[in-house]
Amino acid sequence: MKTENEAGDVQNAHSRRLGALALGAIGVVFGDIGTSPLYTMKETLGTHGMTPHPAAVLGVLSLIFWSLIMVVSLKYVTFVMRADNKGEGGIMALMALAQRSVSGSPQARWVLAAIGIFGASLFYGDGVITPAISVLSAVEGLEIAAPQLDTYVLPICLVIIFILFAVQRHGTNIVGKAFAPVMVAWFLVLAFLGLRQIVAHPQVLVALNPWYAVTFFQEYGKLSFIALGGVVLALTGAEALYADMGHFGKRPIRLAWFCFVLPALLINYFGQGALLLHDRSAIENPFYRMVPEEWLYPMVALATMAAIIASQAVISGAFSMTREAMSLGYSPRMAVVHTSHEMSGQIFVPWVNRLLLVLVFLAVLGFRSSNNLGAAYGIAVTGTMTMTTLLALVVARRRWHWHWSAVITVGVIFLITDLSFFGANALKIAHGGWFPLVLGVIIFTVMTTWRRGRDLVVREIKQSGLALEPFVANIADHPPLIVPGTAVFLTANQNAVPHAMLHNLKHNKVLHERNVLLTVEMLETPVAEPDERMEVIEYGGGFYGLQLRYGFAEDPNIPVSLSRAGALGLDFDMMDTTFFLSRETIVADIRRPGMALWRDKLFAFLARNAMPATAFFQIPGNRLIELGAQVEI
């Protein structure tokens, strides 16, 4: 009996933890997709020549229903979430996982990197548009509650957005505690509002039949394809389900989606459809027209809070993706501030925060309404969805060992869906879709230029380096003046003498009694395993090699790692240790092969403004000596 009781207690504890994580996921993961009802029906049926005719309403509802089932439920929640990189999700983690599966093919790794980086670049575009369209859509409820206040919508939005970005430096821990209750209330209100309309007009439920989507395409032709670009707005935030998997786990996210979020969203969409079947004039803002007049002001306040939460999730995702990109070598180093002592995932990247604030302001002032922003939104979402599908298919084939027939079948189904949405949104490029595309191309250019430039610098350093083994032998035969202490030389090549060591020997005519060549390697996994974190090589004559490895979701801290090297026989006294580093000055040289001259100059600019490696690796400044080196690329 005792054993059964203990088993029951364990099961209850597990259920409580699962429920708590699912509740947390509702507050953080589903903010973006949860605010989509604010603008999806209005954008789909109220613009580009569409009218809320009953056939159009039922056809669009059918498309929304089956899109949520196919794209979110089947593709992301069931298929893509299987492709976790040691528990972590997101397109950068997926790219690293796919690259590991083709480790023997440099060309394939390069193609997968290009796919992943382009998807990540479009995600930054999403990070600009989500705060703008979410807050605008929420505050536009004032136009229904008090039309005389319509001139105040833009100023109110700008103030809210400024406050949202201003509080980022203080972290989301305090605000985050309110996320779950607010979003639970939001989804319950969504369901309640929709249910009232469905009960009054139950005939709307016939749209569950996919035939209404088919007849919609047959009847409306090109207009139906344009409307498909609006339907994709119901899917915005699907990427967050996968990206936040590392924080909450697969089961809590799946539980929250299927048991709570999906039903609430569907009930609300069908409620808006029921209202439009009864009153076509409600197309001006079908979401707020469902709200009783006496509830309008509280609803605007609740919608604004939900929009802020949706924006916060995307902003935090941009911070996390930037840290991963830095660790994987696709972004210049930037300052990363930890805003919580308990949760390492809560970070703040000041430079990214400032850039996003400026771009969101430009988006709000340039597009001026959620309708105009809707045209810009879809292209970023569908582009990232397509890139995610391609990477997940590689993982399915190479890591899960799916048969080719299964990969092709799943790929055809998902890619036809993704590319249809992308094509529908491509029609809106001239109407605002250019905005995230331009952002994506700029970020893609910066990320690929940085990676290629770093590769060229490392190649140049390795080619010009002096072989280590004969150097050590020569030092043993002709020793210079030896001073006490330990010198640590950061280097990318363990087989060559670091430039800083040569400069120190040439100008100061001394060597330390112990010289350690330190190489830091960032792995394609989020967290390094304990047995691969550190490797010590003894070269003899007081020379050692030390290899430190970190996962892309970790913060490299060299002093902390060195304090643990004693377990491998290499003790460090930090008060007796000096770090030497070569600071490269990049010179663009048109005569050298590599990149175009303008990319060489862009890389040189990025390198000058990047955070120093010493600060990134948390090396104390009072134990550091930097020696300059000029590198031509």
Side-chain angles (χ1 to χ4, degrees), residues 119-143:
S121 302
L122 290 175
F123 180 84
Y124 284 106
D126 187 16
V128 171
I129 299 174
T130 292
I133 193 173
S134 298
V135 176
L136 265 173
S137 300
V139 179
E140 281 171 352
L142 288 175
E143 298 174 350

Side-chain angles (χ1 to χ4, degrees), residues 255-430:
L255 178 66
W257 171 252
F258 286 113
C259 297
F260 187 69
V261 176
L262 177 60
L265 289 174
L266 290 176
I267 291 171
N268 190 269
Y269 282 124
F270 274 76
Q272 291 186 47
L275 175 64
L276 290 172
L277 289 178
H278 173 67
D279 180 9
R280 296 188 191 183
S281 66
I283 192 59
E284 61 173 329
N285 200 320
F287 178 84
Y288 279 110
R289 287 290 294 271
M290 286 197 303
V291 181
E293 188 174 345
E294 62 272 16
W295 291 10
L296 274 172
Y297 287 110
M299 195 65 212
V300 170
L302 180 60
T304 302
M305 286 190 287
I308 289 171
I309 291 171
S311 304
Q312 177 62 61
V314 174
I315 294 167
S316 298
F319 293 160
S320 298
M321 185 174 292
T322 301
R323 179 173 72 167
E324 293 177 1
M326 283 190 287
S327 297
L328 291 169
Y330 292 104
S331 169
R333 295 179 295 271
M334 307 174 201
V336 176
V337 179
H338 286 265
T339 58
S340 171
H341 296 293
E342 291 80 22
M343 296 185 65
S344 62
Q346 289 191 6
I347 59 174
F348 169 66
V349 185
W351 197 90
V352 173
N353 191 66
R354 289 191 293 269
L355 180 62
L356 284 178
L357 173 61
V358 172
L359 291 174
V360 172
F361 265 36
L362 290 176
V364 170
L365 293 173
F367 289 93
R368 306 189 71 83
S369 76
S370 60
N371 279 344
N372 295 335
L373 271 168
Y377 205 4
I379 200 82
V381 174
T382 53
T384 303
M385 287 191 330
T386 305
M387 302 302 109
T388 298
T389 299
L390 293 172
L391 294 173
L393 290 172
V394 173
V395 172
R397 172 60 185 163
R398 300 301 295 265
R399 295 194 71 84
W400 303 342
H401 307 294
W402 279 17
H403 193 272
W404 272 113
S405 59
V407 174
I408 292 172
T409 302
V410 171
V412 166
I413 293 172
F414 288 149
L415 285 174
I416 285 177
T417 305
D418 292 343
L419 293 174
S420 297
F421 281 128
F422 186 82
N425 280 279
L427 298 175
K428 305 185 207 173
I429 288 177

